[in-house]
Amino acid sequence: MKAHTKETQSTMTPEKALQFLKEGNERFQNNLKANRNLLQQVNETKDGQFPFATILSCIDSRVSAELVFDQGLGDIFSIRIAGNFINQDILGSMEFACKLAGTKLVVVLGHTSCGAVKGACDHARLGNLTSLINKIEPAVYATKEPKDEELRNSENSEFVDAVAIKNVEMALENIRNQSVILKEMEQKGEIAIVGAMYDLSDGKVTFL
């Protein structure tokens, strides 16, 4: 499989880009890999890059976007931060990726049993991690069930995963509310902005 070129990127649509990722995750779940020569892709991309998607995911060592979607060099822009939340720098990276570098799809990828989300559920406080946790806590407050305070912590895996999904949904809202550029591109159909959850137990990505 060759690296993406200007030509293949120009024929890409948001729908096609999403389909590429879904097919890649199917391969990953079935332990199949597209036949690609990474060193050849190094050579093919040395003069430029033409990725088709931009993926914001967590730093979790088990959730590499390139691996779980079976993509090669030059295929996706990968943005990673604990808890996959939105800030100004990440929005700037996304705007560069879509407006200047031509990607057709923005994905916010959360995952089950997320450590950063667990920290937010427990309102953890530790050095610089505190300000990071603060950015995920709105998703904790926005998750209404269960009402029993004793069940609203990291010991409750269902609650943790519900907060992780809410955190993805709020990240999508923040992209649209805080980036005029991306919102306008989405409205014109130039890009799609979608959320997804990765299941650590079986490798499956579910798009929300």
Side-chain angles (χ1 to χ4, degrees):
M1 191 176 275
K2 288 183 174 293
H4 280 276
T5 63
K6 194 167 189 175
E7 287 68 42
T8 62
Q9 190 196 56
S10 67
T11 62
M12 187 67 70
T13 63
E15 296 73 28
K16 242 199 223 176
L18 185 57
Q19 192 56 34
F20 266 45
L21 293 185
K22 287 179 177 177
E23 288 168 2
N25 182 243
E26 282 285 329
R27 291 194 300 273
F28 175 72
Q29 287 176 73
N30 292 299
N31 205 26
L32 301 168
K33 281 185 178 174
N35 185 20
R36 54 171 69 88
N37 180 330
L38 292 177
L39 275 179
Q40 183 186 331
Q41 289 190 337
V42 168
N43 188 50
E44 289 167 353
T45 56
K46 69 181 187 292
D47 296 323
Q49 58 172 344
F50 303 97
F52 67 88
T54 301
I55 300 172
L56 169 64
S57 60
C58 184
I59 65 165
D60 192 293
S61 62
R62 299 160 291 181
V63 194
S64 160
E66 288 85 353
L67 293 178
V68 305
F69 290 115
D70 187 34
Q71 298 301 314
L73 289 170
D75 291 341
I76 60 172
F77 280 118
S78 183
I79 307 169
R80 300 185 71 173
I81 192 166
N84 44 266
F85 61 85
I86 295 299
N87 65 22
Q88 201 172 12
D89 300 318
I90 287 168
L91 278 178
S93 298
M94 288 177 167
E95 289 170 353
F96 164 79
C98 295
K99 193 73 178 176
L100 300 180
T103 65
K104 311 296 182 189
L105 181 69
V106 173
V107 181
V108 178
L109 180 66
H111 67 94
T112 57
S113 304
C114 179
V117 169
K118 286 179 181 179
C121 291
D122 292 340
H123 306 289
R125 298 292 179 258
L126 174 69
N128 289 300
L129 187 57
T130 302
S131 68
L132 184 147
I133 293 288
N134 286 341
K135 294 178 178 73
I136 304 169
E137 283 179 338
V140 177
Y141 301 125
T143 303
K144 299 304 181 190
E145 297 293 334
K147 293 197 165 44
D148 183 349
E149 277 302 321
E150 288 183 16
L151 298 174
R152 294 175 66 83
N153 57 56
S154 65
E155 298 296 309
N156 182 350
S157 61
E158 282 184 18
F159 178 61
V160 170
D161 291 349
V163 172
I165 291 171
K166 178 59 74 175
N167 185 50
V168 168
E169 291 169 348
M170 293 177 85
L172 298 176
E173 281 177 35
N174 289 337
I175 291 170
R176 294 180 178 114
N177 291 339
Q178 295 172 29
S179 172
V180 174
I181 290 170
L182 296 174
K183 184 178 182 180
E184 201 173 83
M185 289 184 79
E186 183 185 38
Q187 287 170 340
K188 287 179 178 173
E190 294 168 354
I191 63 167
I193 302 171
V194 300
M197 280 290 288
Y198 174 77
D199 193 324
L200 289 179
S201 66
D202 60 11
K204 181 177 173 60
V205 173
T206 303
F207 286 90
L208 306 177

